[in-house]
Amino acid sequence: MRSIWNGSISFGLVTIPVKTYSATDRSSSVSFVRIHDKDGAQIQYRKICELDSEEVPNEEVGKGYQAPGDETVVPITDDDLSQLPMPAAKTLSILSFVDPAEIDPLQMDKAYYLGPNGASAAKPYTLLREALEHHRKVAVGRVAMRGRESLAMLRAYDQAIVMHTLLWPDQIRPATGVAPDDVDLRENELTLAETLMDSLGELDPAELHDDYREAVEELVAAKVEGGEPAAPAASGSSGAQVIDLTAALEKSVRAAQGGGEPDAQAESASVTSIRGRKQAKKSASGRRASERSGTPAKKAAKKTASATAAKKAPGAKTAAAAKTSGGRAKAASPAKKTGTSARTPTAGASKKKASKNTAKKTTGRKTG
């Protein structure tokens, strides 16, 4: 690994010569070049002077400063910059040691490995690294690299010291107007969210890889071989769907605890109204009650059939009694009014009434 900057760490009266190495590699990420669609030739970028429209070679390209909102450009030479006071030039001056939580990740810019520069720097370098790790602190200081001064943070990492350049506080934009206002959260929703966080477990960095980069490489390989690229697999999600937040959290917790994958609807969950959630809850409770009681539909059908039979049976008996006693349709009407409450005693009363009518007719004939 080639060093990109040599300097020293100023730790009180201790000076530690160090070499700086880039800690990240972005060359493995997917990048594309611009081409001419008509013939496939790559498009070149040239430095053109706005005054005479001529191409400018690199040796004639200088620096200039343009104030925000001003069209005036002030030329700045390397000699002008070299005369400026730069206390942190070639030296990382440690200002303080703080807790890591005091450094907001928004301030972190680029990461570099710092290694000892020379055999004499090995011991003070190791001392600083062990002190940072044992004391659980990070060092904050100033450093000037590539003609620019910035804040820096030092921390122990994997038997080495890592330097993160930090943005200045005025380079962090406020979050005004980003977060929503007046959102009410229920206690069970927060509890479910925390349970889901605990259920997801630890992250294994070895299992993380760039799926998009692999897909691009397969696409390029297929085009080079002259074949057709494989069609992408259909996504299970059909876009954002509005479902209940609590239900989505519960499904996610069950999936995380059981090792399964949450369904697409739970992944694209958003908040619905409380009324909709209550209706869903009632229907769910109704289904659970149905599962506990067995087959309620069959039982209800049996009850309906028995009630219908009860209606028909008393009516038939009453009509038969009316015909036997010489009565007409009037004798059957009380049974219709009684409905399902018509039972054996009612049929007996109809028989007694029919007997009385027969007795009256018989008496009338004898008298006549």
Side-chain angles (χ1 to χ4, degrees), residues 33 62 69 95 99 104 135 189 199-201 209 226 236 241-242 318 331 340 361:
V33 297
L95 303 177
D99 292 330
D104 195 301
H135 207 41
E189 293 172 343
S199 301
L200 291 178
H209 57 278
Q241 299 183 11
V242 181
T318 307
T340 56
K361 289 181 179 181

Side-chain angles (χ1 to χ4, degrees), residues 88-117:
K90 294 292 182 178
T91 303
L92 194 156
S93 302
I94 295 177
L95 303 177
S96 178
F97 293 89
V98 300
D99 292 330
E102 295 185 27
I103 305 299
D104 195 301
L106 279 175
Q107 283 189 263
M108 294 185 183
D109 191 12
K110 295 181 180 180
Y112 303 91
Y113 288 130
L114 298 183
N117 189 3

Side-chain angles (χ1 to χ4, degrees), residues 53-366:
S53 300
E54 296 289 336
E55 185 177 355
V56 180
N58 289 331
E59 57 270 15
E60 296 182 9
V61 177
K63 296 184 182 70
Y65 179 80
Q66 184 177 10
D70 192 355
E71 296 182 357
T72 304
V73 178
V74 180
I76 301 294
T77 64
D78 292 337
D79 293 337
D80 295 333
L81 295 175
S82 63
Q83 296 177 6
L84 295 177
M86 187 86 61
K90 294 292 182 178
T91 303
L92 194 156
S93 302
I94 295 177
L95 303 177
S96 178
F97 293 89
V98 300
D99 292 330
E102 295 185 27
I103 305 299
D104 195 301
L106 279 175
Q107 283 189 263
M108 294 185 183
D109 191 12
K110 295 181 180 180
Y112 303 91
Y113 288 130
L114 298 183
N117 189 3
S120 60
K123 187 172 183 178
Y125 175 90
T126 305
L127 175 63
L128 177 59
R129 185 201 65 209
E130 291 295 327
L132 290 171
E133 187 173 4
H134 183 266
H135 207 41
R136 296 181 180 179
K137 298 283 187 179
V138 295
V140 177
R142 292 170 176 261
V143 63
M145 294 178 61
R146 299 176 178 177
R148 183 174 302 178
E149 187 180 48
S150 62
L151 291 174
M153 180 189 75
L154 302 182
R155 66 184 180 96
Y157 174 79
D158 195 18
Q159 302 300 314
I161 296 177
V162 175
M163 179 182 70
H164 294 270
T165 55
L166 304 177
L167 300 175
W168 297 97
D170 59 355
Q171 292 178 305
I172 305 298
R173 294 178 176 178
T176 306
V178 176
D181 298 329
D182 300 331
V183 177
D184 294 330
L185 292 178
R186 290 186 290 273
E187 185 176 356
N188 65 324
E189 293 172 343
L190 185 59
T191 303
L192 284 170
E194 293 174 350
T195 304
L196 177 59
M197 293 168 63
D198 296 335
S199 301
L200 291 178
E202 297 181 356
L203 183 66
D204 186 5
E207 297 181 356
L208 301 178
H209 57 278
D210 192 347
D211 294 333
Y212 180 72
R213 183 185 67 188
E214 294 178 359
V216 171
E217 292 173 351
E218 293 176 1
L219 173 64
V220 172
K223 283 184 171 291
V224 169
E225 294 176 359
E228 290 293 330
S235 177
S237 176
S238 59
Q241 299 183 11
V242 181
I243 67 171
D244 186 272
L245 177 60
T246 304
L249 288 171
E250 290 174 349
K251 288 181 181 179
S252 301
V253 170
R254 288 196 299 268
Q257 292 176 346
E261 292 291 336
D263 56 15
Q265 192 178 22
E267 291 177 357
S268 58
S270 58
V271 183
T272 58
S273 63
I274 298 178
R275 181 180 301 174
R277 191 179 70 84
K278 287 184 178 179
Q279 290 175 352
K281 198 171 184 180
K282 287 182 179 179
S283 61
S285 62
R287 288 195 298 270
R288 289 194 294 268
S290 300
E291 292 174 359
R292 289 196 297 268
S293 61
T295 55
K298 293 182 179 180
K299 293 183 178 180
K302 288 181 179 179
K303 289 184 179 180
T304 305
S306 60
T308 306
K311 283 183 179 180
K312 291 181 179 180
K317 291 180 180 179
T318 307
K323 289 181 180 179
T324 304
S325 60
R328 296 183 180 180
K330 291 181 179 180
S333 60
K336 289 183 180 179
K337 290 182 180 180
T338 56
T340 56
S341 62
R343 294 175 182 170
T344 306
T346 308
S350 300
K351 289 181 179 181
K352 289 181 180 180
K353 189 174 182 181
S355 301
K356 288 182 180 180
N357 292 335
T358 306
K360 284 182 180 180
K361 289 181 179 181
T362 306
T363 305
R365 289 175 183 175
K366 289 181 180 180

